[in-house]
Amino acid sequence: MAPALIRDAFIGDVLYHVSGHRLFQHPEDRSGFTIPTPPRSVKSTASRSSSHSNLDTFTVIERPDDEESRLPRVDSDQVTITVPEASEEQRTMQWKAPEVEEGDLAKEKEKSSVMQEIAESRIVEWYGPNDSENPQNWSLAKKSFVTFQVCLLTFSVYIGSAIYSPGIDEIAAQFGVSPVAATLGLTLFVVGYGIGPMFLSPLSELPQIGRTTVYILSLALFVVLQVPTALAKNLGALLPLRFVAGFAGSPALATGGASLSDVWAPEHRAVVIGLWSVAGISGPVLGPLLGGFATQGEDWTWTIWILLWMSGATLVFLTLFFPETSASALLYRRAARLRRVTEDSRLKSEGEIEVEHMTVGDIAMMHLVRPFILMFVEPIVAFWNIYIALVYGILYIFIESFRVVFVEKHGFNLGENGLAFLGIFAGTIITFAFFAPYALRVLKPKFVDNTFVPEMRLPIAFVGSVLLPISMFWFGWTSSASVHWIVPIIASAFFSAGTYMLFQAGLNYLADCYPRYVASVLAGNDFFRSMVGAAFPLFSTAFFHNLGVGPACSILGGVAVLMLPIPWILHRYGARIRSWSKYAN
């Protein structure tokens, strides 16, 4: 038996199937394996006795000795679970069909079809509450290792946006285009990872595919695309490659939080999602640092080569050691193994049955239409999307403004300008150090006591909403050459603190308010903020040159002041607003 970490990783799963199930075997592949908890059957047996128990029958899989018949034949009755006689109404209530994306996308006829198939199937589940293959039961060390890998994956892709920015002037000169045209390489990358989740993230929800397969294959394409990008001879070749690279790298940015939710219990998710957000912010922040020294020491192509080496190393590491985390995918694979060794085609997982009855229209509604419906008809979604998109846009305009402030005014070179971003990085780390104890001491007990309501996410947004405009005014009016460069860098640390708090409060609040439609809500938010974030760098240099850094930052700070009441209003009236909605829970 191979270590479960490698066995459930992409390479282990591939070798398992390629070797005809001889390498990286699972418990079900072993001769004499006993199913600890047999698959439950909805159909009651014809003969019953009052002495029948609900979970009495166990199946032992005996593997034949002859090589030709490696798959055993086991009588289907051996895995039957006898259930007490119940009325049709009781059986319907007990075994209702699983909902598609926990909503009502399927029509009533389709739901009845799912119910019928479940009634004729044997549902494969976890082998009891302590099943070691259930990601929620993994050890703390394994959960922490998986969390590190999700953060590494997110950082390796997110850094691809801003690492490009120090080379913009050199690209413009080499290709004979304007700096604004060269900036499109940054813009299209952000657009790509804003659009990508609408198409790629749904694949990770399919039990037949799972999260790991989507991560690895999309990351492999991301890595390969860096080679022609670095070798591009004109802007017409460079820009499409940057867009496709952003598109290919997008699953990590949109689904990483879902992977962490697969592994951690709700009371711990605030902390691990917060840590994941640190990795997400670190990418755009540290990108200019690496890109600045690379461009200064060599040329702009080295920003892409560094991205290739970093993402390539991450690809190898995750291919070997990143296990599948989706419970739906793991149970589907277990059901497939049990069907093979028992030759009982009725053995299925609930997720498998659910997906079999989804149409292309259902998937399109879920991931392409519904995000926009929620964006326009739900006030909570609309306001938070606008607020977080504004913050995201300011983050990217901040990245571009550093060249004006520290290179043009303070005389920094490209490498030193990258070091100026460490203020944002330090502010994020310090804020997380304060946020984690708050989440454990304040939010965790509410989950444990079952007294948590979504509005409890918002108090940290009160602080963030105040820090954001303060930092903008501070940065803008202390950016002149007469003021020491450390002063605006300190202001940038307060900006990152406010940004971090607003992201943590806003995204978690949306997920808590719309748990039945969380995929649609977060996909729409990712799309909306990416479009805004992509547009801001295009006018940033002219914006700061024409108005001056102080007035320009004052305008951004003024907009942040206008948005400041949103978390306060939702904290007081959010429950009432949710009560009016047919989508909110």
Side-chain angles (χ1 to χ4, degrees):
M1 295 293 290
L5 189 69
I6 303 176
R7 181 198 66 198
D8 293 333
F10 183 80
I11 186 65
D13 191 53
V14 169
L15 292 177
Y16 173 74
H17 290 289
V18 169
S19 66
H21 315 114
R22 292 176 175 82
L23 297 176
F24 296 96
Q25 290 186 334
H26 296 260
E28 294 84 0
D29 298 302
R30 302 175 67 182
S31 178
F33 170 74
T34 301
I35 301 179
T37 304
R40 55 180 167 88
S41 175
V42 179
K43 294 183 69 175
S44 40
T45 57
S47 57
R48 287 176 177 79
S49 164
S50 59
S51 62
H52 278 150
S53 169
N54 284 352
L55 294 173
D56 284 343
T57 311
F58 295 85
T59 302
V60 177
I61 299 177
E62 298 293 346
R63 188 168 298 282
D65 293 330
D66 58 297
E67 195 69 19
E68 187 174 347
S69 174
R70 296 189 63 84
L71 303 183
R73 299 175 179 268
V74 179
D75 235 12
S76 61
D77 287 337
Q78 287 182 282
V79 292
T80 300
I81 302 172
T82 305
V83 297
E85 184 65 57
S87 67
E88 185 65 30
E89 180 180 1
Q90 289 173 325
R91 286 198 297 274
T92 301
M93 291 175 62
Q94 185 175 3
W95 305 109
K96 65 180 181 180
E99 298 172 323
V100 179
E101 198 190 332
E102 314 205 26
D104 55 357
L105 299 179
K107 299 175 182 178
E108 288 303 318
K109 184 176 180 180
E110 292 169 332
K111 287 184 178 180
S112 300
S113 177
V114 177
M115 289 176 60
Q116 179 65 24
E117 182 162 354
I118 290 182
E120 295 174 352
S121 301
R122 302 182 188 279
I123 305 302
V124 176
E125 298 175 320
W126 300 119
Y127 297 148
N130 299 318
D131 191 331
S132 61
E133 292 194 12
N134 184 345
Q136 293 284 323
N137 294 331
W138 289 350
S139 67
L140 177 62
K142 186 174 181 179
K143 289 181 178 181
S144 300
F145 185 60
V146 170
T147 301
F148 165 75
Q149 292 180 90
V150 172
C151 292
L152 175 63
L153 173 60
T154 302
F155 176 80
S156 299
V157 173
Y158 243 141
I159 198 174
S161 59
I163 199 174
Y164 171 92
S165 61
I168 287 176
D169 289 338
E170 188 174 318
I171 292 172
Q174 179 178 330
F175 294 154
V177 298
S178 68
V180 173
T183 304
L184 286 171
L186 168 62
T187 294
L188 290 176
F189 187 92
V190 178
V191 170
Y193 72 58
I195 296 176
M198 309 290 282
F199 298 92
L200 298 181
S201 291
L203 298 178
S204 70
E205 303 293 336
L206 299 177
Q208 293 88 343
I209 298 177
R211 306 202 195 282
T212 303
T213 302
V214 174
Y215 286 152
I216 298 301
L217 295 182
S218 62
L219 183 60
L221 177 59
F222 180 86
V223 171
V224 170
L225 286 170
Q226 304 315 312
V227 177
T229 301
L231 299 177
K233 299 302 181 183
N234 55 68
L235 197 65
L238 177 67
L239 296 184
L241 289 168
R242 287 286 291 173
F243 170 79
V244 178
F247 187 95
S250 64
L253 313 182
T255 315
S259 296
L260 296 177
S261 297
D262 292 337
V263 174
W264 295 94
E267 59 267 24
H268 297 118
R269 286 175 193 162
V271 174
V272 295
I273 296 295
L275 182 61
W276 177 57
S277 298
V278 171
I281 293 176
S282 297
V285 169
L286 297 182
L289 173 61
L290 295 177
F293 281 110
T295 303
Q296 181 178 315
E298 296 292 339
D299 56 43
W300 72 268
T301 62
W302 277 76
T303 64
I304 307 300
W305 293 125
I306 290 174
L307 182 59
L308 169 66
W309 300 332
M310 185 178 301
S311 58
T314 301
L315 173 63
V316 173
F317 184 62
L318 267 62
T319 300
L320 294 174
F321 300 113
F322 188 67
E324 178 59 57
T325 62
S326 169
S328 179
L330 291 171
L331 288 173
Y332 166 77
R333 296 176 186 180
R334 171 174 288 179
R337 291 193 298 271
L338 290 176
R339 283 198 297 270
R340 177 171 53 84
V341 299
T342 64
E343 296 189 345
D344 186 349
S345 61
R346 293 173 297 172
L347 293 168
K348 293 185 178 182
S349 65
E350 287 191 3
E352 181 180 2
I353 298 173
E354 174 183 314
V355 170
E356 286 176 352
H357 289 267
M358 290 183 67
T359 65
V360 175
D362 293 333
I363 297 175
M365 171 63 74
M366 187 187 308
H367 296 282
L368 297 178
V369 178
R370 180 177 287 163
F372 294 98
I373 293 176
L374 291 169
M375 188 186 305
F376 290 111
V377 305
E378 290 294 307
I380 292 176
V381 177
F383 280 122
W384 269 115
N385 280 357
I386 295 172
Y387 202 170
I388 291 179
L390 170 69
V391 174
Y392 204 67
I394 293 175
L395 173 62
Y396 274 95
I397 208 172
F398 231 54
I399 292 173
E400 295 302 303
S401 74
F402 272 45
R403 281 191 296 172
V404 177
V405 173
F406 295 105
V407 175
E408 297 179 11
K409 293 181 178 294
H410 288 279
F412 285 18
N413 59 38
L414 288 177
E416 292 168 341
N417 183 56
L419 290 173
F421 286 90
L422 291 178
I424 297 179
F425 180 70
T428 303
I429 297 297
I430 294 171
T431 306
F432 174 73
F434 283 97
F435 170 76
Y438 167 81
L440 292 174
R441 295 174 185 173
V442 177
L443 297 180
K444 180 180 177 181
K446 303 296 183 182
F447 279 105
V448 175
D449 298 337
N450 201 27
T451 58
F452 178 83
V453 294
E455 283 67 34
M456 292 178 181
R457 297 280 191 189
L458 297 178
I460 63 169
F462 300 164
V463 182
S465 65
V466 174
L467 288 180
L468 184 62
I470 289 177
S471 65
M472 293 305 302
F473 292 122
W474 181 351
F475 182 88
W477 293 106
T478 61
S479 60
S480 64
S482 60
V483 180
H484 194 278
W485 51 263
I486 194 63
V487 179
I489 288 179
I490 294 174
S492 71
F494 281 85
F495 167 78
S496 65
T499 299
Y500 183 86
M501 292 179 186
L502 288 169
F503 264 81
Q504 288 305 302
L507 296 183
N508 281 293
Y509 181 63
L510 288 176
D512 292 336
C513 288
Y514 302 90
R516 297 172 63 189
Y517 306 102
V518 62
S520 296
V521 169
L522 296 185
N525 180 271
D526 182 68
F527 175 81
F528 190 69
R529 73 174 188 261
S530 295
M531 296 305 104
V532 174
F536 271 46
L538 292 175
F539 63 84
S540 61
T541 302
F543 182 58
F544 288 108
H545 279 163
N546 294 337
L547 295 180
V549 177
C553 286
S554 296
I555 291 176
L556 296 175
V559 175
V561 169
L562 293 177
M563 304 295 289
L564 188 150
I566 289 178
W568 302 80
I569 293 173
L570 291 179
H571 184 264
R572 180 158 188 178
Y573 300 106
R576 185 181 303 177
I577 296 173
R578 286 188 286 115
S579 69
W580 300 335
S581 171
K582 68 177 182 178
Y583 296 102
N585 186 351

